[in-house]
Amino acid sequence: MKKRQENATEKITFPIQGMHCASCAGKIENAILKITGVQKATVNFATEKATIEFVPDKNIPARVQEAVEKIGYKAMLIPATSTIATLYLKIIGMDNPHCATTIAHAIENLPGVRGKELSITEKAVIRYESQKISPQKIKETIQNLGYTPIEETSFTEDTEREIRERESQNLKRRMLIAVILSIPLFVLTMLVPLLKIPLPSFLENNLVTIEFILATPVMLAGSLFFSRGIIVLWKTKTATMDTLVALGTGTAYVYSIIISVFIILGKPGYTAHQLYYEVAALLISFILLGKFLEAKAKGKTSEAIKKLIGLKPKTALVIRKGKEMEILIEEVRVGEVIIVKPGQKIPVDGIVLSGSSSIDESMVTGESIPIEKNKGDRVIGATMNKTGTFTFKATKIGSETLLAQIIKLVEEAQGSKAPIQKLADQISAYFVPAVMGIALLSSIIWYFTGAPVSFAITTFVAVLIIACPCALGLATPTAIIVGTGKAAEQGILIKSAEALQKAQEIDTIIFDKTGTLTKGKPEVTDVLPQNGFTEKEVLLSAAIAEKRSEHPLGEAIVKKATEKKISVPDPATFKALTGRGLEASSHKKKIILGNRRLFKEKNIATRKIEKELQRLENAGKTAIILAIDLKIAGIIAVADTLKEHSREAVEQLQKLGKEVVMITGDNARTGKAVGEQLGISVVLAQVLPAEKAAEIKKLQQQGKKVAAVGDGINDAPMLAQADVGIAIGSGTDVAIETGDIVLIKEDLRDVVTAMDLSRYTMRKVKQNLFWAFFYNVVGIPVAAGVLYPLTGWLLSPVIAGGAMAFSSVSVVSNSLLMKRYKLRIK
């Protein structure tokens, strides 16, 4: 909707390999835009794709490929002869940016892989040439990195639960082994010397062997760090958090084995005090404990989406060939008649055919009060039937149901990146290599300034272990996942992390009037005949003109005529005049119905009825003028009632410091009257639908950050122009394609919640990023020994390990505190 349309242009999207940061995207864009004929180029670092628009020229794609490869990247323009297939995977364990990057590097160079989209919600979409590579090979590559890929076709909630449980138990078993064996090591090597407790001669004489025996199983328990860290480094040339742990603990362990051999061989100058077995073992224990707690915490961040997925019923009771039959939910067909009994979940979306009931829709819409459903009403799949029995016709099944669309939107939002995350991503890309360099440099400096080897190794291990790119990587996505999940629980669908971030920057909120602030179901309040015409003649002529109109005001006039039992024939001719009214004819009479603007165009004077028009408009009514054969015949006043919580929502937004604006096609007087009822002082009146986007642009040019709220259909251009478009949904008619935020309920207080929740989420993101940066900026220099010359104190690798484990857990835990969120304004 926000895309610029070009005449006589072609458009292609293709993957690009080799990008490492956002600056790469800008570099590639500049290179492509230099090619003659290319009109537009957009390179997305997150999806690793480029989209170009160019004048029709078959040579341009080849020139683009050449230009991209010339600056060191690979443009994956797919040959016309290739058969491109798509592999949809759930990758268990790919729950942070570092894991996603590791997997991306591993698969991007596989022959035949043409594109990939990896999300920290463990979803992967991989495009490949079926002649060159098989799905099995792609899955094997991912599995070799220590992750579990499951094809979406064979994926079920039970499969995921089983795999997660198995992995959790494995991690718990490793952690318990490490902790149980590390405790005696800690007692023997650290507690006993500190308290000066004498050891029995047997233990004293065999201390080296005992330490080796206790530490070795702990290292085996931590083997996953070596397989993921060293093997991934070897295969993909990418260092990860696991690489730091493997290098740190491995160095301490191998150094201890070398010293042990020297001690056993009786070489002078070597004692058990120089061993680092306890350091390696305690580090593994702390980090495994941290990983276990982190996994538990991260599992809680996505509880909202799991709850949504868990809502889906597994069976449906249908009528086939006149018989009731229970079938799997996947077997339900559109148009099928389904029976729902009290206490059962509604299987799919549909329309009630017979019976009535009270339906609890809170799990999907956030609306706590059960809603009465009768014949003709819509029902939502996965909601709970409370009282009666009814039948309904299935209208949407599978991925088309409201619940499926909600799950899809929330998953996409949770996997997207907020602009604020770009800095953390850029730093994370260089973080691990930089830490390895700092660790090596600090140990070399200390060694060549006269420090013992053991001192240099201590700084090397401490720097490697204290560094925590995981905290940086988890800071933004965990808060986004909890924030979007919390919003979904309340019937607010935030479609991307970018929309969530932009929402907290909004200072001006512009509401469309009809159907948004008002119910959109106006009623005729006054019929005022003029110039000798009767009330019946006025109402009949207006109803004839409006019979073919789909405008809510026209429907109100036709409805009023029907209520008065007036027979309304079809017009002979009909012409709608957008934003002004309409023209029609019947029995050789010309009918004009509309506002002042239309009558001015037709040179029909309205001066004599101006006072009457102003009186009606000052009361907040829309006054429609009727002329028959170019002679004013009467005025019809129509009023639209405000939605239940409109005024409350406006007041709450104003308390949050937002400027509230109303936009309407009504004249200024009517608009002002409605604005006064709502407490809105700024009203943009007599704005045609096509002009609404231009009005928002004017506000933006004044430096304002604008959110637009509309019904998502008629207001599409307005929502698209706004910094944040908020579409009001209606039951199953959620405007999925329109707006950055979709409100499932027609409760405008959800606009307040969306604004406040975005502010709260971004505050958590900033807190997380601050502590992640602060922790690393302070911790790494301390581990490198900068305080030693001043204080004589050197950070123990064991303390560094505990701090590292705590950092990731603290960031995730801070995000989890968002579950307590409650709206501040009441």
Side-chain angles (χ1 to χ4, degrees), residues 571-646:
T573 61
F574 170 84
K575 183 182 179 182
L577 304 168
T578 306
R580 291 162 291 160
L582 51 82
E583 293 178 349
S585 63
S586 177
H587 296 95
K588 298 182 180 180
K589 288 182 180 179
K590 186 177 182 181
I591 303 169
I592 298 173
L593 191 68
N595 55 25
R596 288 182 185 83
R597 187 187 296 187
L598 177 59
F599 276 73
K600 189 177 180 181
E601 285 178 11
K602 300 296 181 183
N603 294 316
I604 303 174
T606 58
R607 187 175 59 258
K608 290 181 181 179
I609 60 170
E610 188 60 35
K611 282 187 179 178
E612 200 67 61
L613 292 174
Q614 290 182 18
R615 180 185 69 78
L616 294 168
E617 288 164 355
N618 286 335
K621 299 174 183 179
T622 300
I624 305 168
I625 309 166
L626 172 71
I628 299 174
D629 290 334
L630 302 181
K631 182 179 180 181
I632 290 179
I635 305 167
I636 298 176
V638 179
D640 193 0
T641 54
L642 296 178
K643 283 185 179 176
E644 187 180 356
H645 302 295
S646 293

Side-chain angles (χ1 to χ4, degrees), residues 542-558:
I544 290 170
E546 291 284 12
K547 192 171 184 182
R548 288 186 184 171
S549 169
E550 294 179 358
H551 195 282
L553 298 180
E555 290 176 4
I557 291 171
V558 174

Side-chain angles (χ1 to χ4, degrees), residues 536-545 547 557-571 586-587:
K536 184 177 180 181
E537 286 175 318
V538 170
L539 198 53
L540 172 62
S541 296
I544 290 170
K547 192 171 184 182
I557 291 171
V558 174
K559 183 183 175 185
K560 187 71 173 179
T562 305
E563 287 173 359
K564 294 278 187 179
K565 297 183 179 178
I566 298 172
S567 177
V568 182
D570 290 333
S586 177
H587 296 95

Side-chain angles (χ1 to χ4, degrees), residues 149 151 226 291 330 457 487 701 807:
E151 276 196 65
F226 295 89
K291 285 281 182 188
E330 294 81 9
I457 287 177
Q701 286 168 350
S807 65

Side-chain angles (χ1 to χ4, degrees), residues 189-500:
T189 60
M190 301 179 85
L191 199 60
V192 166
L194 182 67
L195 300 176
K196 296 179 180 177
I197 301 170
L199 284 173
S201 57
F202 172 77
L203 292 179
E204 188 74 52
N205 296 334
N206 295 285
L207 193 58
V208 173
T209 307
I210 291 168
E211 285 187 39
F212 173 76
I213 291 170
L214 288 171
T216 301
V218 177
M219 298 303 290
L220 292 172
S223 60
L224 73 166
F225 299 120
F226 295 89
S227 60
R228 288 185 180 181
I230 303 301
I231 293 173
V232 167
L233 179 63
W234 178 261
K235 286 187 175 182
T236 69
K237 306 297 184 288
T238 305
T240 65
M241 179 67 217
D242 292 328
T243 309
L244 296 181
V245 174
L247 285 175
T249 57
T251 300
Y253 181 72
V254 171
Y255 175 78
S256 299
I257 289 176
I258 294 168
I259 299 298
S260 297
V261 172
F262 289 164
I263 293 171
I264 292 168
L265 293 176
K267 280 201 172 191
Y270 295 97
T271 67
H273 296 296
Q274 294 170 289
L275 298 176
Y276 277 86
Y277 285 123
E278 80 282 0
V279 170
L282 285 166
L283 285 176
I284 292 289
S285 299
F286 273 129
I287 295 164
L288 280 171
L289 176 61
K291 285 281 182 188
F292 179 70
L293 294 174
E294 184 186 317
K296 287 282 186 186
K298 281 195 294 189
K300 292 178 182 177
T301 62
S302 56
E303 275 182 359
I305 195 74
K306 288 176 184 172
K307 282 180 185 174
L308 287 172
I309 293 171
L311 291 176
K312 293 188 292 187
K314 294 186 177 180
T315 59
L317 188 63
V318 302
I319 299 175
R320 287 185 179 174
K321 296 179 181 178
K323 294 181 181 179
E324 291 185 15
M325 185 183 300
E326 189 169 14
I327 61 171
L328 293 173
I329 193 78
E330 294 81 9
E331 295 174 9
V332 174
R333 298 189 294 262
V334 171
E336 202 145 35
V337 177
I338 300 171
I339 303 170
V340 186
K341 297 178 180 179
Q344 290 183 340
K345 283 184 179 179
I346 296 168
V348 294
D349 295 359
I351 297 174
V352 177
L353 295 176
S354 64
S356 63
S357 186
S358 178
I359 309 293
D360 179 1
E361 297 183 344
S362 61
M363 60 281 288
V364 173
T365 66
E367 179 59 65
S368 57
I369 301 171
I371 298 169
E372 294 297 322
K373 299 286 183 179
N374 297 293
K375 184 178 179 180
D377 289 338
R378 294 180 180 273
V379 289
I380 303 171
T383 55
M384 181 64 73
N385 181 29
K386 302 290 284 184
T387 53
T389 298
F390 64 92
T391 64
F392 75 97
K393 182 174 75 174
T395 56
K396 292 180 181 178
I397 61 173
S399 62
E400 298 299 314
T401 63
L402 176 64
L403 180 65
Q405 291 178 58
I406 291 173
I407 291 170
K408 181 174 178 284
L409 277 183
V410 175
E411 284 182 335
E412 286 175 356
Q414 293 182 343
S416 64
K417 286 187 179 182
I420 197 172
Q421 194 175 339
K422 288 179 181 177
L423 176 62
D425 284 350
Q426 288 175 27
I427 292 173
S428 296
Y430 301 102
F431 187 88
V432 174
V435 168
M436 291 166 68
I438 293 168
L440 190 61
L441 186 63
S442 64
S443 62
I444 289 171
I445 290 172
W446 282 115
Y447 179 74
F448 283 105
T449 54
V453 174
S454 59
F455 189 99
I457 287 177
T458 298
T459 60
F460 178 76
V461 174
V463 170
L464 288 176
I465 294 302
I466 201 167
C468 192
C470 289
L472 279 174
L474 292 168
T476 303
T478 51
I480 296 294
I481 287 171
V482 179
T484 51
K486 191 73 182 172
E489 286 176 4
Q490 300 185 50
I492 302 167
L493 305 181
I494 300 172
K495 293 170 72 173
S496 69
E498 184 177 2
L500 187 67

Side-chain angles (χ1 to χ4, degrees), residues 420 475-476 479-480 761-770:
I420 197 172
T476 303
I480 296 294
T761 303
M762 295 316 298
R763 193 177 76 190
K764 284 292 181 185
V765 168
K766 288 169 185 174
Q767 287 174 3
N768 287 349
L769 285 173
F770 171 79

